[in-house]
Amino acid sequence: MLHAVNELLWGPGTLALLLGTGVFLTLRMRLLPWRRLGYALRSALGREARQPGKDGVSPFSALMTALAASIGTGNIVGVATALVAGGPGALVWMELSALFGMATIFSESLLAVRYRRRDRQGQWVGGPMYVLEAAFERRNGGMLGTVFALFAVGASLGIGSMTQSNSIAGALASAFGLPVWTVGAVTAGLALVIILGGIRSISKVAAALVPVMGAVYLAAGLAVIFGNLANLPGSVAEIFRCAFSPRAAAGGAAGWMTAARWGVARGVFSNEAGLGSAGIAASAVDCADPVRQGYISMTGAFFDTIVICTVTGLAICCSGVLGTVDSAGLPVDGAALTILAFQTVLGPWGARFVSLSIVLFAFATIVGWEYQGEVTFTYLSRGRGRLLYRVAYALAAFLGAGLELGTVFAFADICNALMCGPNLLCLAAMSGEVCRAIRGKNTEKAVKFL
């Protein structure tokens, strides 16, 4: 049942809506998210972005919290799943979803910061639900905000908690033989200790964990690519051929449509452009300039998909393991496929490295997504029940450890699709305001040297 609903929601309509919104925003903003990527990267990684504020977390910490939520199993397991289901061309569609997704994330974050509010504890909170109220007046916007928040709470439990815990348990069970439920209990316990401290505790863990684990994983992935360098040109050619050629796969046009379906779906699962979640993390920042924070936030799609997912995809394709079958004659998929790719250069250590990378990436996602789910939950409950949600979130992590992977991914994809509707409607309605802001005089002065 879940898989049937998943296929229906992730049909051509949703793909066109996601990519179309990103294309529309990119063109309406005159390609400024692409043209000012250098400025965005300097703003995200510079010293000023790391300065902690008294009125919220630093811009760098907010970005790392958003990246913690997005850098997870999608970068390792999701990429492999997309390549097996959609062929090598799916990698191109993942990157396209990220390129146009930068404009989407920019818009989500700018609007979220502009329309954020103070909660009962005096902290900044924001996200699509508050922007929807501004876009469609309080009554209609409130209804749409409630719909979005319901889907976001479900997504936080599926994407943020159950899926990631499932991947952690599977990785440690296969690599070290650890019991699934024991891993689930430890994962839930550690996560609960961190999330009980709120956004400041979460952002500190994310700011410390994400850069280190990302750099180490990229170094290992590049080692695999260079170890199979002779296969790289042919693999890149095959990737583009399968992405666009009508003769790329069995079924003609259905071949590249399959690549697009899986590439965009897994791209969104990884970078979350179009879901509105990036704006929730951005709202907690101590930053008076919504435009600057929009630029900083949009680099998340660049780092997550265009950098990390591309390295994973190229490592799999140029290592020659794509299409490998197991003893039962079934295609090797998910983490097992990525492990095979890394083993071509790193040997037996490749399996352990990928397994530990999954553990760290997934745990970071569990911590990062909790804040986003908590903000949407408190929107529904009018500021009440924070502790209840945190305990329920940790419990979902425990239960998710023992669920079947396909069911968890199907549930996560469904929640992704359901979040998109209200958020993308909001972005379309507020696109004029976003364009006026990005073309403002202050922004022009800040980047006139580019």
Side-chain angles (χ1 to χ4, degrees), residues 55-78:
D55 208 25
V57 301
S58 70
F60 178 78
S61 294
L63 173 62
M64 291 301 106
T65 301
L67 271 175
S70 60
I71 293 181
T73 57
N75 300 86
I76 301 176
V77 181

Side-chain angles (χ1 to χ4, degrees), residues 129-267:
M129 49 279 188
Y130 298 106
V131 184
L132 283 162
E133 291 184 8
F136 300 104
E137 300 181 351
R138 191 167 186 86
R139 181 176 180 182
N140 295 329
M143 284 178 48
L144 289 171
T146 298
V147 171
F148 173 85
L150 284 171
F151 294 154
V153 170
S156 72
L157 297 175
I159 301 166
S161 187
M162 290 192 290
T163 299
Q164 311 303 326
S165 177
N166 185 283
S167 296
I168 291 174
L172 293 179
S174 62
F176 304 102
L178 298 180
V180 168
W181 293 114
T182 300
V183 172
V186 173
T187 300
L190 289 175
L192 186 60
V193 169
I194 295 171
I195 63 182
L196 284 176
I199 181 58
R200 292 190 179 275
S201 174
I202 291 171
S203 64
K204 286 180 181 179
V205 172
L209 182 60
V210 172
V212 174
M213 72 181 189
V216 173
Y217 180 80
L218 283 176
L222 290 172
V224 174
I225 294 172
F226 281 111
N228 295 282
L229 196 58
N231 300 330
L232 185 59
S235 297
V236 172
E238 181 69 7
I239 286 169
F240 281 96
R241 188 180 72 86
C242 291
F244 302 111
S245 172
R247 298 182 180 179
W256 70 263
M257 280 297 295
T258 300
R261 179 257 185 267
W262 282 98
V264 174
R266 287 291 171 250

Side-chain angles (χ1 to χ4, degrees), residues 16-362:
L17 187 62
L18 282 165
L19 281 180
T21 301
V23 171
F24 167 73
L25 291 171
T26 302
L27 295 178
R28 189 168 186 187
M29 286 188 276
R30 301 174 185 173
L31 309 183
L32 286 174
W34 297 354
R35 290 159 53 191
R36 293 174 177 170
L37 180 59
Y39 164 74
L41 291 171
R42 287 193 292 275
S43 297
L45 303 177
R47 181 180 300 176
E48 184 180 350
R50 297 172 183 269
Q51 298 300 318
K54 299 179 180 179
D55 208 25
V57 301
S58 70
F60 178 78
S61 294
L63 173 62
M64 291 301 106
T65 301
L67 271 175
S70 60
I71 293 181
T73 57
N75 300 86
I76 301 176
V77 181
V79 173
T81 301
L83 293 176
V84 171
L91 183 61
V92 172
W93 288 96
M94 290 186 74
E95 292 170 345
L96 286 174
S97 75
L99 281 172
F100 291 110
M102 288 196 300
T104 307
I105 292 177
F106 173 90
S107 303
E108 292 171 350
S109 301
L110 182 152
L111 292 169
V113 173
R114 177 164 289 184
Y115 292 102
R116 62 186 177 175
R117 301 175 186 174
R118 299 280 190 182
D119 64 9
R120 293 187 173 191
Q121 299 170 336
Q123 296 179 332
W124 286 116
V125 291
M129 49 279 188
Y130 298 106
V131 184
L132 283 162
E133 291 184 8
F136 300 104
E137 300 181 351
R138 191 167 186 86
R139 181 176 180 182
N140 295 329
M143 284 178 48
L144 289 171
T146 298
V147 171
F148 173 85
L150 284 171
F151 294 154
V153 170
S156 72
L157 297 175
I159 301 166
S161 187
M162 290 192 290
T163 299
Q164 311 303 326
S165 177
N166 185 283
S167 296
I168 291 174
L172 293 179
S174 62
F176 304 102
L178 298 180
V180 168
W181 293 114
T182 300
V183 172
V186 173
T187 300
L190 289 175
L192 186 60
V193 169
I194 295 171
I195 63 182
L196 284 176
I199 181 58
R200 292 190 179 275
S201 174
I202 291 171
S203 64
K204 286 180 181 179
V205 172
L209 182 60
V210 172
V212 174
M213 72 181 189
V216 173
Y217 180 80
L218 283 176
L222 290 172
V224 174
I225 294 172
F226 281 111
N228 295 282
L229 196 58
N231 300 330
L232 185 59
S235 297
V236 172
E238 181 69 7
I239 286 169
F240 281 96
R241 188 180 72 86
C242 291
F244 302 111
S245 172
R247 298 182 180 179
W256 70 263
M257 280 297 295
T258 300
R261 179 257 185 267
W262 282 98
V264 174
R266 287 291 171 250
V268 172
F269 181 85
S270 183
N271 60 54
E272 300 178 4
L275 302 189
S277 55
I280 297 174
S283 299
V285 73
D286 183 23
C287 175
D289 185 358
V291 176
R292 182 170 179 268
Q293 185 56 43
Y295 278 122
I296 292 174
S297 296
M298 82 175 193
T299 62
F302 176 82
F303 289 123
D304 176 273
T305 305
I306 298 176
V307 176
I308 298 179
C309 287
T310 298
V311 168
T312 300
L314 288 177
I316 291 172
C317 291
C318 71
S319 63
V321 300
L322 187 61
T324 303
V325 296
D326 58 21
S327 57
L330 300 174
V332 177
D333 197 355
L337 183 64
T338 307
I339 287 173
L340 286 180
F342 276 64
Q343 283 180 326
T344 61
V345 172
L346 303 180
W349 285 102
R352 296 185 179 91
F353 176 81
V354 171
S355 297
L356 290 176
S357 296
I358 290 173
V359 171
L360 292 176
F361 278 39

